[in-house]
Amino acid sequence: MTRLAGRYGATNLAQGFPDFPAPEALKRAAAEAIDADINQYSITWGAKNFRDAIAAKYARHYAMDFDPEREITVCCGATEGMIAAMLAVIDDGDEVVIFEPFYENYNPDTQLSGAKVRYVSLRAPDWTFDRDELRRAFNHRTKAIVVNTPNNPTGKVFNREELEFIAGLCHEFDALAITDEIYEHILYDGAVHTPIISLPGMRERSILVNSMSKTYSVTGWRVGWVLAPPDLTESIRKVHDFITVGAASPLQQAGVMALAMADDYYANLAAEYAGKRDHLVASLEAVGLRCSIPRGAYYVMADISSLKFNDDVKFVKHLIEKVGIAAVPGSSFFSHPRDGADWVRFCFCKKYETLEVARQKLLFLTD
Ligand SMILES: Cc1ncc(COP(=O)(O)O)c(C=O)c1O
């Protein structure tokens, strides 16, 4: 969609990357690290001071202690963190439970790791799951469940009771929870993020994947991390070493500075995105697209069933070619394309002026 947007000069509300600058202090820290000749390989599982900064972050935000020597692996973004974790823990014939709609990488990650996917639906409008359906997805072959909260594409923030139910199934079926918490600080309307790894008994059976990409608006830096118990970390580090060696050294140094940012940085980030969410939702609803209001992350799922397109892909093509806005067809997030045919995902991690251009273009939306 980003390529198609380029071809038609469309406003890109498809791929989730900011079109505004990264924080000034962060850019300076990266430049200073390069100037200071921090340009060679770091320790493969992450520069010591960056792993210390990650440990300090979890102590500060969640009152959890992680051992930087045995439980933290720095990797090239959450993307690498997820596949490295899966390749490390999954064997041929295992099964992995994934909620749908899903972030697109989890299915290929699972398949590359040799496992079969079991899908469980998150149902609109609240994107809740049916507990019986989830329980039925677990069996003796289940190695893991992937939990992405705050969630892309739905904006759902899993609440504590839901996470406790998932944790209970992990205990019962001796399975792992692999969590993608990349939007942990992008929360609205009082939503609270709970890492499943912080729940009682989950420390031994959780792998937490996170990254700098979204929190610090540096999706191109490719710096992330994985928290896991020492035995799993040992395997994850081996996989990581062979697939990427390590994340960019100077950017890890900038990460030391980023993770220590004051609380108001995170409060402002969420407040800024809340305003942008409201702007985009108002623009979409003004032209008859009913929105599912996200409680976290920076995407809006819009229901296109009231229009006459009858097909999300046709709608998005029209949107790009005739209206000049790119979005992602809902079917990209479902195992059966038909299930996503009523949905289109728009992102709002953009400057207000970009969102305003989109608002004006949307006024020309006709079916
Ligand atoms: C849920 C989710 N996980 C992971 C990623 C990619 O993360 P990274 O840039 O750290 O590889 C994205 C990017 O959009 C995402 O939405």
Side-chain angles (χ1 to χ4, degrees), residues 6 16 23 45 59 70 75 85 101 118 137 145 165 182 198 213 227 238 304 310 346 360:
W45 47 84
R70 298 162 66 234
C75 52
R118 293 248 175 200
I145 177 168
F165 183 75
I182 190 167
S198 68
S213 288
L227 309 182
K238 286 194 182 100
I304 58 163
N310 210 6
F346 294 84
Q360 288 173 19

PDB file of all heavy atoms in Angstrom, residues 6 16 23 45 59 70 75 85 101 118 137 145 165 182 198 213 227 238 304 310 346 360:
ATOM      1  N   GLY A   6       2.754   5.818  -3.104  1.00  0.00           N
ATOM      2  CA  GLY A   6       3.811   6.583  -3.776  1.00  0.00           C
ATOM      3  C   GLY A   6       3.476   6.789  -5.242  1.00  0.00           C
ATOM      4  O   GLY A   6       3.616   7.894  -5.774  1.00  0.00           O
ATOM      5  N   GLY A  16       2.248   1.987   9.400  1.00  0.00           N
ATOM      6  CA  GLY A  16       2.333   2.692  10.681  1.00  0.00           C
ATOM      7  C   GLY A  16       3.695   3.267  10.988  1.00  0.00           C
ATOM      8  O   GLY A  16       4.420   2.753  11.836  1.00  0.00           O
ATOM      9  N   PRO A  23      12.368  12.640  18.414  1.00  0.00           N
ATOM     10  CA  PRO A  23      12.758  13.651  19.409  1.00  0.00           C
ATOM     11  C   PRO A  23      14.189  14.142  19.166  1.00  0.00           C
ATOM     12  O   PRO A  23      15.095  13.345  18.906  1.00  0.00           O
ATOM     13  CB  PRO A  23      12.658  12.884  20.735  1.00  0.00           C
ATOM     14  CG  PRO A  23      11.691  11.776  20.468  1.00  0.00           C
ATOM     15  CD  PRO A  23      11.862  11.402  19.027  1.00  0.00           C
ATOM     16  N   TRP A  45      24.241  -9.816  22.125  1.00  0.00           N
ATOM     17  CA  TRP A  45      22.903  -9.698  22.742  1.00  0.00           C
ATOM     18  C   TRP A  45      22.637  -8.311  23.320  1.00  0.00           C
ATOM     19  O   TRP A  45      21.712  -8.116  24.089  1.00  0.00           O
ATOM     20  CB  TRP A  45      22.679 -10.781  23.794  1.00  0.00           C
ATOM     21  CG  TRP A  45      23.785 -10.974  24.765  1.00  0.00           C
ATOM     22  CD1 TRP A  45      24.013 -10.273  25.898  1.00  0.00           C
ATOM     23  CD2 TRP A  45      24.809 -11.972  24.689  1.00  0.00           C
ATOM     24  NE1 TRP A  45      25.115 -10.749  26.539  1.00  0.00           N
ATOM     25  CE2 TRP A  45      25.628 -11.798  25.823  1.00  0.00           C
ATOM     26  CE3 TRP A  45      25.116 -12.995  23.774  1.00  0.00           C
ATOM     27  CZ2 TRP A  45      26.746 -12.591  26.064  1.00  0.00           C
ATOM     28  CZ3 TRP A  45      26.217 -13.793  24.021  1.00  0.00           C
ATOM     29  CH2 TRP A  45      27.015 -13.595  25.143  1.00  0.00           C
ATOM     30  N   ALA A  59      12.041  -1.830  35.849  1.00  0.00           N
ATOM     31  CA  ALA A  59      11.978  -1.571  37.295  1.00  0.00           C
ATOM     32  C   ALA A  59      11.141  -0.314  37.537  1.00  0.00           C
ATOM     33  O   ALA A  59      10.263  -0.278  38.408  1.00  0.00           O
ATOM     34  CB  ALA A  59      13.383  -1.401  37.856  1.00  0.00           C
ATOM     35  N   ARG A  70      21.229 -12.218  31.918  1.00  0.00           N
ATOM     36  CA  ARG A  70      20.641 -13.537  31.631  1.00  0.00           C
ATOM     37  C   ARG A  70      19.220 -13.489  31.083  1.00  0.00           C
ATOM     38  O   ARG A  70      18.678 -14.507  30.673  1.00  0.00           O
ATOM     39  CB  ARG A  70      20.665 -14.395  32.899  1.00  0.00           C
ATOM     40  CG  ARG A  70      22.092 -14.644  33.387  1.00  0.00           C
ATOM     41  CD  ARG A  70      22.132 -15.099  34.844  1.00  0.00           C
ATOM     42  NE  ARG A  70      21.519 -16.401  35.004  1.00  0.00           N
ATOM     43  CZ  ARG A  70      20.536 -16.669  35.868  1.00  0.00           C
ATOM     44  NH1 ARG A  70      20.051 -15.725  36.629  1.00  0.00           N
ATOM     45  NH2 ARG A  70      20.049 -17.888  35.969  1.00  0.00           N
ATOM     46  N   CYS A  75      17.723  -6.790  20.046  1.00  0.00           N
ATOM     47  CA  CYS A  75      17.622  -7.326  18.688  1.00  0.00           C
ATOM     48  C   CYS A  75      17.260  -6.201  17.716  1.00  0.00           C
ATOM     49  O   CYS A  75      17.114  -5.051  18.112  1.00  0.00           O
ATOM     50  CB  CYS A  75      16.602  -8.448  18.652  1.00  0.00           C
ATOM     51  SG  CYS A  75      15.052  -7.947  19.370  1.00  0.00           S
ATOM     52  N   ALA A  85      12.462 -15.299  18.842  1.00  0.00           N
ATOM     53  CA  ALA A  85      11.830 -16.002  19.971  1.00  0.00           C
ATOM     54  C   ALA A  85      11.134 -17.267  19.477  1.00  0.00           C
ATOM     55  O   ALA A  85      11.283 -18.347  20.055  1.00  0.00           O
ATOM     56  CB  ALA A  85      10.842 -15.074  20.665  1.00  0.00           C
ATOM     57  N   PRO A 101      -8.477 -10.256  14.158  1.00  0.00           N
ATOM     58  CA  PRO A 101      -7.436  -9.781  13.250  1.00  0.00           C
ATOM     59  C   PRO A 101      -6.074  -9.707  13.939  1.00  0.00           C
ATOM     60  O   PRO A 101      -5.994  -9.484  15.133  1.00  0.00           O
ATOM     61  CB  PRO A 101      -7.916  -8.379  12.842  1.00  0.00           C
ATOM     62  CG  PRO A 101      -8.882  -7.963  13.903  1.00  0.00           C
ATOM     63  CD  PRO A 101      -9.511  -9.206  14.409  1.00  0.00           C
ATOM     64  N   ARG A 118      -3.282 -21.660  15.160  1.00  0.00           N
ATOM     65  CA  ARG A 118      -4.702 -21.787  15.543  1.00  0.00           C
ATOM     66  C   ARG A 118      -5.218 -20.377  15.778  1.00  0.00           C
ATOM     67  O   ARG A 118      -4.685 -19.666  16.628  1.00  0.00           O
ATOM     68  CB  ARG A 118      -4.841 -22.548  16.849  1.00  0.00           C
ATOM     69  CG  ARG A 118      -4.452 -23.971  16.748  1.00  0.00           C
ATOM     70  CD  ARG A 118      -5.701 -24.812  16.909  1.00  0.00           C
ATOM     71  NE  ARG A 118      -5.364 -26.201  16.697  1.00  0.00           N
ATOM     72  CZ  ARG A 118      -6.242 -27.116  16.395  1.00  0.00           C
ATOM     73  NH1 ARG A 118      -7.513 -26.780  16.259  1.00  0.00           N
ATOM     74  NH2 ARG A 118      -5.882 -28.363  16.226  1.00  0.00           N
ATOM     75  N   ALA A 137      -8.891 -23.745  21.408  1.00  0.00           N
ATOM     76  CA  ALA A 137      -7.710 -23.614  20.532  1.00  0.00           C
ATOM     77  C   ALA A 137      -6.463 -24.216  21.172  1.00  0.00           C
ATOM     78  O   ALA A 137      -5.472 -24.472  20.497  1.00  0.00           O
ATOM     79  CB  ALA A 137      -7.473 -22.137  20.208  1.00  0.00           C
ATOM     80  N   ILE A 145       1.030 -18.854  22.854  1.00  0.00           N
ATOM     81  CA  ILE A 145       0.006 -17.938  22.350  1.00  0.00           C
ATOM     82  C   ILE A 145       0.684 -16.593  22.160  1.00  0.00           C
ATOM     83  O   ILE A 145       1.524 -16.195  22.973  1.00  0.00           O
ATOM     84  CB  ILE A 145      -1.201 -17.837  23.317  1.00  0.00           C
ATOM     85  CG1 ILE A 145      -2.225 -16.813  22.783  1.00  0.00           C
ATOM     86  CG2 ILE A 145      -0.785 -17.471  24.750  1.00  0.00           C
ATOM     87  CD1 ILE A 145      -3.568 -16.851  23.508  1.00  0.00           C
ATOM     88  N   PHE A 165      -6.990 -14.871  32.297  1.00  0.00           N
ATOM     89  CA  PHE A 165      -7.583 -16.066  31.685  1.00  0.00           C
ATOM     90  C   PHE A 165      -6.571 -16.733  30.741  1.00  0.00           C
ATOM     91  O   PHE A 165      -6.380 -17.948  30.757  1.00  0.00           O
ATOM     92  CB  PHE A 165      -8.864 -15.698  30.926  1.00  0.00           C
ATOM     93  CG  PHE A 165      -9.562 -16.887  30.340  1.00  0.00           C
ATOM     94  CD1 PHE A 165     -10.288 -17.748  31.141  1.00  0.00           C
ATOM     95  CD2 PHE A 165      -9.449 -17.168  28.974  1.00  0.00           C
ATOM     96  CE1 PHE A 165     -10.903 -18.874  30.608  1.00  0.00           C
ATOM     97  CE2 PHE A 165     -10.061 -18.291  28.429  1.00  0.00           C
ATOM     98  CZ  PHE A 165     -10.800 -19.143  29.244  1.00  0.00           C
ATOM     99  N   ILE A 182       4.789  -3.418  21.757  1.00  0.00           N
ATOM    100  CA  ILE A 182       5.438  -2.282  21.103  1.00  0.00           C
ATOM    101  C   ILE A 182       4.659  -0.971  21.265  1.00  0.00           C
ATOM    102  O   ILE A 182       5.223   0.103  21.183  1.00  0.00           O
ATOM    103  CB  ILE A 182       5.683  -2.661  19.622  1.00  0.00           C
ATOM    104  CG1 ILE A 182       6.572  -1.666  18.912  1.00  0.00           C
ATOM    105  CG2 ILE A 182       4.420  -2.847  18.865  1.00  0.00           C
ATOM    106  CD1 ILE A 182       7.082  -2.162  17.582  1.00  0.00           C
ATOM    107  N   SER A 198       4.092  -9.972  34.071  1.00  0.00           N
ATOM    108  CA  SER A 198       4.035  -9.484  35.456  1.00  0.00           C
ATOM    109  C   SER A 198       2.974 -10.224  36.279  1.00  0.00           C
ATOM    110  O   SER A 198       2.867 -10.025  37.486  1.00  0.00           O
ATOM    111  CB  SER A 198       3.746  -7.975  35.474  1.00  0.00           C
ATOM    112  OG  SER A 198       2.424  -7.725  35.007  1.00  0.00           O
ATOM    113  N   SER A 213      10.765   1.438  18.230  1.00  0.00           N
ATOM    114  CA  SER A 213      10.158   1.973  17.010  1.00  0.00           C
ATOM    115  C   SER A 213       9.019   2.957  17.235  1.00  0.00           C
ATOM    116  O   SER A 213       9.011   4.059  16.672  1.00  0.00           O
ATOM    117  CB  SER A 213       9.616   0.827  16.146  1.00  0.00           C
ATOM    118  OG  SER A 213      10.660   0.106  15.569  1.00  0.00           O
ATOM    119  N   LEU A 227      12.611  -9.963  26.488  1.00  0.00           N
ATOM    120  CA  LEU A 227      12.808 -10.369  27.881  1.00  0.00           C
ATOM    121  C   LEU A 227      12.281 -11.796  28.018  1.00  0.00           C
ATOM    122  O   LEU A 227      11.169 -12.091  27.566  1.00  0.00           O
ATOM    123  CB  LEU A 227      12.022  -9.470  28.831  1.00  0.00           C
ATOM    124  CG  LEU A 227      12.195  -7.952  28.693  1.00  0.00           C
ATOM    125  CD1 LEU A 227      11.375  -7.229  29.759  1.00  0.00           C
ATOM    126  CD2 LEU A 227      13.658  -7.566  28.787  1.00  0.00           C
ATOM    127  N   LYS A 238      21.099 -17.317  20.819  1.00  0.00           N
ATOM    128  CA  LYS A 238      21.786 -18.093  19.761  1.00  0.00           C
ATOM    129  C   LYS A 238      21.150 -17.798  18.407  1.00  0.00           C
ATOM    130  O   LYS A 238      21.841 -17.534  17.422  1.00  0.00           O
ATOM    131  CB  LYS A 238      21.704 -19.593  20.063  1.00  0.00           C
ATOM    132  CG  LYS A 238      22.622 -20.026  21.184  1.00  0.00           C
ATOM    133  CD  LYS A 238      22.760 -21.552  21.215  1.00  0.00           C
ATOM    134  CE  LYS A 238      23.649 -21.961  22.370  1.00  0.00           C
ATOM    135  NZ  LYS A 238      22.887 -22.415  23.554  1.00  0.00           N
ATOM    136  N   ILE A 304     -16.676  -0.317   6.530  1.00  0.00           N
ATOM    137  CA  ILE A 304     -17.082   0.218   5.220  1.00  0.00           C
ATOM    138  C   ILE A 304     -18.363  -0.443   4.712  1.00  0.00           C
ATOM    139  O   ILE A 304     -18.747  -0.241   3.559  1.00  0.00           O
ATOM    140  CB  ILE A 304     -15.958   0.051   4.163  1.00  0.00           C
ATOM    141  CG1 ILE A 304     -15.572  -1.425   3.998  1.00  0.00           C
ATOM    142  CG2 ILE A 304     -14.741   0.889   4.528  1.00  0.00           C
ATOM    143  CD1 ILE A 304     -14.782  -1.710   2.723  1.00  0.00           C
ATOM    144  N   ASN A 310     -18.585  -3.316  -1.082  1.00  0.00           N
ATOM    145  CA  ASN A 310     -18.740  -4.741  -0.868  1.00  0.00           C
ATOM    146  C   ASN A 310     -17.414  -5.500  -0.841  1.00  0.00           C
ATOM    147  O   ASN A 310     -17.390  -6.718  -0.898  1.00  0.00           O
ATOM    148  CB  ASN A 310     -19.645  -5.309  -1.991  1.00  0.00           C
ATOM    149  CG  ASN A 310     -20.416  -6.496  -1.493  1.00  0.00           C
ATOM    150  OD1 ASN A 310     -20.343  -6.803  -0.302  1.00  0.00           O
ATOM    151  ND2 ASN A 310     -21.130  -7.158  -2.375  1.00  0.00           N
ATOM    152  N   PHE A 346      -6.859   2.562   9.055  1.00  0.00           N
ATOM    153  CA  PHE A 346      -6.170   3.842   8.819  1.00  0.00           C
ATOM    154  C   PHE A 346      -5.230   4.084   9.987  1.00  0.00           C
ATOM    155  O   PHE A 346      -5.582   3.788  11.131  1.00  0.00           O
ATOM    156  CB  PHE A 346      -7.176   4.998   8.785  1.00  0.00           C
ATOM    157  CG  PHE A 346      -8.139   4.953   7.632  1.00  0.00           C
ATOM    158  CD1 PHE A 346      -9.296   4.181   7.693  1.00  0.00           C
ATOM    159  CD2 PHE A 346      -7.887   5.692   6.477  1.00  0.00           C
ATOM    160  CE1 PHE A 346     -10.191   4.144   6.624  1.00  0.00           C
ATOM    161  CE2 PHE A 346      -8.783   5.664   5.408  1.00  0.00           C
ATOM    162  CZ  PHE A 346      -9.931   4.887   5.480  1.00  0.00           C
ATOM    163  N   GLN A 360      -9.744  16.640   4.211  1.00  0.00           N
ATOM    164  CA  GLN A 360     -10.311  17.361   3.066  1.00  0.00           C
ATOM    165  C   GLN A 360     -10.506  16.437   1.866  1.00  0.00           C
ATOM    166  O   GLN A 360     -11.503  16.520   1.157  1.00  0.00           O
ATOM    167  CB  GLN A 360      -9.419  18.540   2.733  1.00  0.00           C
ATOM    168  CG  GLN A 360      -9.563  19.624   3.798  1.00  0.00           C
ATOM    169  CD  GLN A 360      -8.581  20.758   3.644  1.00  0.00           C
ATOM    170  OE1 GLN A 360      -8.017  20.954   2.570  1.00  0.00           O
ATOM    171  NE2 GLN A 360      -8.355  21.498   4.706  1.00  0.00           N
TER     172      GLN A 360
END
